[in-house]
Amino acid sequence: MSKLNTMPNLVRPDDLYERLIRLHDGLSDAESAVVNAKLILLLANHIGDLEVIQQSIALARGDQAAPAV
């Protein structure tokens, strides 16, 4: 069974935050939404585990538990 890792796992989280903020520099709201969607799909593909992705979606929406696969 796959499990979503929710423990801090980034070596330099502030650097990631800065890069994510800069990703949107100069973009309209619509362009930012497209960039976010592309980034989500790229990272989901990299993860490659539907159960982990479903758990991530549930947590992002504020649900207590992800639906079973």
Side-chain angles (χ1 to χ4, degrees), residues 3 7 13-14 16 19 22 25 28-29 32-34 39 44-45 47 63-64:
K3 182 171 166 74
M7 299 302 294
D14 291 339
L16 172 61
R19 285 182 176 91
R22 280 191 283 144
D25 284 350
S28 68
D29 288 347
S32 286
V34 169
L39 181 59
N45 182 68
I47 292 166
D63 298 343
Q64 290 294 322

Side-chain angles (χ1 to χ4, degrees), residues 24 26-38:
H24 298 278
L27 299 180
S28 68
D29 288 347
E31 291 167 330
S32 286
V34 169
V35 166
N36 279 338
K38 288 179 179 180

Side-chain angles (χ1 to χ4, degrees), residues 46-69:
H46 178 76
I47 292 166
D49 185 322
L50 184 57
E51 185 176 344
V52 170
I53 295 165
Q54 286 182 301
Q55 290 172 349
S56 300
I57 290 169
L59 283 175
R61 286 185 54 98
D63 298 343
Q64 290 294 322
V69 176

Side-chain angles (χ1 to χ4, degrees), residues 2 4-5 11 13-14 18 20 23 29 32 38 42-44 48-49 52 59 64:
S2 299
L4 176 65
N5 179 6
V11 176
D14 291 339
E18 182 182 339
L20 289 172
L23 172 64
D29 288 347
S32 286
K38 288 179 179 180
L42 287 165
L43 292 172
D49 185 322
V52 170
L59 283 175
Q64 290 294 322

